[in-house]
Amino acid sequence: QCRNANKEPLEISIQTLNWGTQPLIDKGRKELLFEHMYTGTMFRDDIKKLHESEILTIQEIKKLATSKYKVCLITKSENQKLHKTQRGSYPLDYCAEQGIKIQHK
């Protein structure tokens, strides 16, 4: 439980935490960061593969976005273990290989 600017109690859930509310639990954004687990480069590469396979459709693009697009809240020390160019097609698996467990729905 945190307090907002009016000093009223404010409950924050990790599922609803966002850039604007992060400072309520991480003053100065010193420890945590929101990281795009599935990067724009990964998305572009997957789109290119769909195009080359001649199955590039709106449905396939939507499937990519809903199954792979993830933004995670991680510690800055965890982020140092992650190399953006080595995440492969399944960044959650890559995180697990680096000893980082990402909770997700």
Side-chain angles (χ1 to χ4, degrees):
Q1 206 176 50
C2 300
R3 299 198 179 270
N4 65 13
N6 297 323
K7 306 292 186 207
E8 298 167 358
L10 178 66
E11 284 206 26
I12 297 176
S13 166
I14 196 72
Q15 288 84 10
T16 60
L17 189 71
N18 61 39
W19 177 257
T21 57
Q22 178 186 347
L24 294 172
I25 65 166
D26 180 24
K27 295 216 182 286
R29 303 181 199 280
K30 292 180 182 176
E31 298 296 325
L32 303 172
L33 62 94
F34 285 94
E35 176 64 23
H36 290 88
M37 303 309 294
Y38 183 63
T39 65
T41 300
M42 294 169 157
F43 184 66
R44 184 189 66 229
D45 290 347
D46 282 345
I47 293 291
K48 184 178 176 185
K49 288 175 192 171
L50 289 173
H51 177 70
E52 290 169 350
S53 300
E54 297 182 358
I55 56 171
L56 181 61
T57 63
I58 291 172
Q59 291 81 11
E60 290 297 317
I61 293 170
K62 185 176 179 180
K63 196 185 310 180
L64 270 180
T66 57
S67 67
K68 291 189 175 185
Y69 184 79
K70 306 266 186 272
V71 176
C72 298
L73 182 67
I74 63 175
T75 66
K76 289 185 177 184
S77 62
E78 288 171 330
N79 189 53
Q80 290 177 345
K81 298 177 185 178
L82 302 175
H83 302 282
K84 293 188 187 315
T85 60
Q86 297 175 2
R87 293 183 187 178
S89 291
Y90 297 95
L92 294 179
D93 291 343
Y94 174 70
C95 286
E97 291 168 9
Q98 304 309 309
I100 301 168
K101 182 173 171 67
I102 304 292
Q103 298 291 323
H104 61 93
K105 289 184 175 184

